Amino acid sequence: CLSDWSSDVCSSDLIDGEDKVFKITKEQDEYAVATQIVNQYDKFTTFIPVYYVDGNNMYIMANASDLPVQIKKSIDLFMQDFADYAREKGGEVSIFDFIQETDSIDPVIDNFLNALKIDIDKLNIPELDLDLDFKSDNIMIWNGNMVMVDW
């Protein structure tokens, strides 16, 4: 279980022989995403697979592994640059606005963000791109791929 999810209570258990995480959230946008992506990993590949939502505030998702240190550092550097960009623009901008403006981005992060943008557009949740909790602590590795585990 990831202990740095401050607004969440979670635990990890084996269900059907697979390590899964139970997550309780107070964030309505986060739960709305889980509700839309449940049992649709083939459609939303940049999000951790969600297997069950309870209709209230709990869902069950796959457990994932930590990001390699170098990718984590690249995301942290990207987010520092994004923070500077957002301050410069003086308004609400998304990380997707920023990737259109910067040449200084790790290709691995760039590819992931482009795929994430496609998935977010499919969700059609207003302003999710602006509210997305994109940071290195919320991205992990599942089945060999980077996935958002908290959004």
Side-chain angles (χ1 to χ4, degrees):
C1 182
L2 302 175
S3 60
D4 62 346
W5 291 354
S6 59
S7 65
D8 308 324
V9 177
C10 56
S11 66
S12 180
D13 282 313
L14 287 181
I15 300 174
D16 297 330
E18 185 178 339
D19 194 16
K20 304 226 170 77
V21 175
F22 294 76
K23 185 166 181 188
I24 298 171
T25 183
K26 296 176 185 162
E27 303 292 328
Q28 289 304 109
D29 289 344
E30 181 179 340
Y31 189 76
V33 170
T35 300
Q36 287 193 37
I37 67 173
V38 66
N39 294 318
Q40 295 193 60
Y41 182 72
D42 290 343
K43 184 176 178 183
F44 299 102
T45 59
T46 58
F47 292 95
I48 191 77
V50 172
Y51 301 112
Y52 171 82
V53 293
D54 74 344
N56 192 15
N57 63 350
M58 188 274 295
Y59 54 98
I60 298 173
M61 62 187 183
N63 203 359
S65 303
D66 290 337
L67 277 177
V69 173
Q70 189 56 41
I71 293 175
K72 192 172 180 68
K73 286 181 182 177
S74 290
I75 292 170
D76 293 341
L77 288 172
F78 170 80
M79 291 308 293
Q80 288 173 3
D81 291 345
F82 170 68
D84 293 340
Y85 171 79
R87 275 191 294 278
E88 177 185 306
K89 291 297 178 183
E92 287 196 356
V93 293
S94 76
I95 56 174
F96 306 112
D97 298 327
F98 180 55
I99 63 173
Q100 302 302 316
E101 300 292 325
T102 185
D103 294 327
S104 157
I105 183 170
D106 182 317
V108 171
I109 307 307
D110 190 33
N111 288 337
F112 178 71
L113 284 170
N114 285 308
L116 182 61
K117 173 73 168 123
I118 291 167
D119 280 355
I120 286 176
D121 289 346
K122 285 188 263 184
L123 287 169
N124 200 25
I125 296 175
E127 298 189 2
L128 179 59
D129 61 331
L130 295 173
D131 297 331
L132 187 67
D133 195 9
F134 187 85
K135 60 184 179 180
S136 63
D137 290 341
N138 292 343
I139 303 162
M140 298 184 81
I141 301 294
W142 180 81
N143 206 22
N145 298 310
M146 291 173 48
V147 291
M148 295 284 302
V149 296
D150 194 5
W151 41 85

